């Protein structure tokens, strides 16, 4: 059994139309969302043997803000392949993990993270949280999958169960979408 946690980068800033997508920082709501998620992850008592993250500015700032709230720093393995990666690319990256860690936290982007959940978790009712992901996997969402594998090289479609899903708005309604009457 392996544990894979997925953490989508927090809300980014779109105010500079000239900025490259890769260079977009977090906006204020994103900073608050990343800190809220960091505090939440700390409250769960979860720990991770490895953290692999996209080096895009918004992902790096998500790691930084969440780590502040979590109260620890991580040795992060930055991997550019995560940036806007497809599920297939993320699976390939997982299969390459060396050292056989029991748990990995991946920080990245949609639609890749969402699609990875759809590929790893069967659509058979065994993971009711999968239906929530089908509705939306918003920025700064944290998900935990248990994978029925012995080695990371064994990652394959339908090998997992989605056992935890937390969105920023679950912690603070002001971190969710703006609702219009």
């Amino acid at each position: 059994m392996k544990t894979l946690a997925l953490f989508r980068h927090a809300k980014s800033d779109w105010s500079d139309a000239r900025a490259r997508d890769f260079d977009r920082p977090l906006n204020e709501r994103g900073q608050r969302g990343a800190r809220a998620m960091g505090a939440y992850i700390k409250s769960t008592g979860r720990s991770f043997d490895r953290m692999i993250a996209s080096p895009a500015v918004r992902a790096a700032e998500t790691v930084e803000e969440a780590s502040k709230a979590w109260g620890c720093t991580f040795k992060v393995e930055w991997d550019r392949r995560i940036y806007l990666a497809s599920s297939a690319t993320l699976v390939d990256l997982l299969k390459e993990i060396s050292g056989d860690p029991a748990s990995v936290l991946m920080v990245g982007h949609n639609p890749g993270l969402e699609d990875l959940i759809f590929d790893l978790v069967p659509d058979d009712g065994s993971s009711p949280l999968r239906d929530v992901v089908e509705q939306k996997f918003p920025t700064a969402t944290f998900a935990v999958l248990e994978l029925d594998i012995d080695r990371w090289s064994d990652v394959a479609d339908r090998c997992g169960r989605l056992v935890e899903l937390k969105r920023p708005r679950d912690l603070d309604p002001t971190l969710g979408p703006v609702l219009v009457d």
Side-chain angles (χ1 to χ4, degrees), residues 60-165:
E61 288 183 357
T62 297
V63 169
E64 180 182 342
E65 293 295 327
S67 295
K68 288 177 192 175
W70 200 331
C72 61
T73 56
F74 294 94
K75 179 181 182 286
V76 181
E77 298 173 32
W78 303 104
D79 195 318
R80 184 148 180 132
R81 293 176 294 172
I82 297 173
Y83 174 66
L84 304 181
S86 67
S87 174
T89 298
L90 296 175
V91 166
D92 289 345
L93 193 145
L94 291 171
K95 287 181 174 192
E96 293 173 8
I97 292 175
S98 63
D100 205 32
S103 60
V104 171
L105 172 60
M106 180 182 285
V107 182
H109 310 267
N110 253 6
L113 293 181
E114 183 176 301
D115 290 343
L116 183 62
I117 292 171
F118 295 148
D119 289 344
L120 296 180
V121 178
D123 188 14
D124 62 3
S126 63
S127 294
L129 293 173
R130 188 182 191 281
D131 294 339
V132 177
V133 175
E134 286 182 6
Q135 295 168 21
K136 189 166 183 175
F137 193 75
T139 53
T141 294
F142 174 74
V144 179
L145 292 82
E146 291 177 348
L147 307 180
D148 291 324
I149 56 173
D150 294 323
R151 294 176 307 279
W152 288 99
S153 59
D154 297 333
V155 171
D157 285 357
R158 297 177 300 284
C159 72
R161 283 177 312 286
L162 182 59
V163 297
E164 183 177 344
L165 182 71

